[in-house]
Amino acid sequence: MDSPVRSDLNHCACLALRQAARRVTQLYDQHLAGVGLRVTQFSMLARLAHGGPLSIQDFADAMVMDRTTLTRNLKPLERDGLVETRVDPKDRRGRLVTVTAAGRARLEQAVAAWGEAQTAFEHGYGLAEAKTLHRMLRGVSSGIYGPAGGGAPE
């Protein structure tokens, strides 16, 4: 006999999203491996290249990550000289993260591999379905279904 928890897991939005995210991450990581990036690193470099420099908090918010997770994910990028963190000239207590010239070069190399992953996903899942999925997930990540930790909007 199935327990109530086991049958409820089959309808858990969080579990389904995390499983789907892991599967899609694997696809993108396979394509990006040749340029030495993971999809999370690619996304971080792209965000900084098109919107940086950013404070740690603003960067974490843009990536929908907590500061600790962002800092942990920045370490390999800093180690490899792809990003740098420096004192914010407007607030000496704060730090700004910026992409370096090496980071921009790596990002340029990675764009083709990212495009191949995107095409592979759209081909496998279906272009129309991928567009619909993207629109729906943007709604979830933007918070239109309620704030993190909260319920449905009133």
Side-chain angles (χ1 to χ4, degrees):
M1 177 169 132
D2 283 342
S3 74
V5 172
R6 183 174 301 235
S7 66
D8 287 349
L9 282 177
N10 291 329
H11 303 287
C12 177
C14 185
L15 176 61
L17 281 167
R18 290 178 66 92
Q19 288 173 326
R22 284 190 287 272
R23 179 72 69 189
V24 173
T25 295
Q26 291 168 357
L27 170 71
Y28 281 76
D29 282 349
Q30 288 171 356
H31 283 269
L32 289 165
V35 293
L37 291 175
R38 298 183 60 92
V39 71
T40 303
Q41 295 168 324
F42 173 85
S43 299
M44 292 173 74
L45 287 174
R47 174 65 69 174
L48 282 175
H50 298 290
L54 293 169
S55 71
I56 297 288
Q57 188 59 59
D58 288 344
F59 194 19
D61 291 345
M63 297 300 297
V64 191
M65 291 180 173
D66 62 65
R67 288 174 58 119
T68 303
T69 301
L70 177 79
T71 301
R72 186 176 58 247
N73 281 284
L74 279 172
K75 287 185 187 301
L77 294 172
E78 287 178 308
R79 179 198 65 222
D80 294 344
L82 305 178
V83 301
E84 64 182 11
T85 304
R86 56 181 158 68
V87 174
D88 184 345
K90 295 179 184 172
D91 179 358
R92 309 275 311 150
R93 297 170 296 166
R95 300 278 183 255
L96 292 175
V97 183
T98 187
V99 65
T100 64
R104 286 184 187 279
R106 182 77 63 88
L107 182 60
E108 283 184 32
Q109 292 174 340
V111 167
W114 173 86
E116 292 169 4
Q118 185 75 10
T119 299
F121 178 76
E122 290 170 349
H123 178 75
Y125 193 65
L127 182 57
E129 291 85 352
K131 286 181 179 183
T132 299
L133 178 65
H134 186 263
R135 181 181 45 76
M136 293 169 65
L137 292 173
R138 280 283 171 226
V140 172
S141 65
S142 71
I144 66 168
Y145 298 113
E154 296 178 9

